[in-house]
Amino acid sequence: KDVADDPVYRARGLSYNELCRGALLDEDPETFFGFWGECYNMYQDACPHEGYHILERWFRRLKSKSVPPGCNPSVQRHYVYTSNVDGHHRR
């Protein structure tokens, strides 16, 4: 879904690129926070797709392997690099 494809934004002639400009925070804080609040809510309401489940299975499999000699067992050796805007890796 295009989060900027909304009748209110269309009526004001605002595109996604215009809504994403940092300057909008100073120019129109209500629109800025309304847009990004809606984005945040959509991210939080989204269900993880299969790719998240695949990463989780890989992570668990790697985490369960024995720790090599000389390594600290309490140190996490594997990471997932993500923007994590949806919070799925924290859930």
Side-chain angles (χ1 to χ4, degrees), residues 4-43:
D5 186 21
D6 182 277
V8 173
Y9 300 136
R10 276 196 309 271
R12 294 180 58 194
L14 294 170
S15 69
Y16 179 79
N17 287 341
E18 292 163 327
L19 290 163
C20 291
R21 291 181 317 107
L24 188 62
L25 177 58
D26 291 325
E27 297 166 1
D28 188 348
E30 186 175 305
T31 299
F32 178 89
F33 285 111
F35 174 73
W36 286 109
E38 177 63 19
C39 289
Y40 178 81
N41 290 339
M42 288 175 59
Y43 297 147

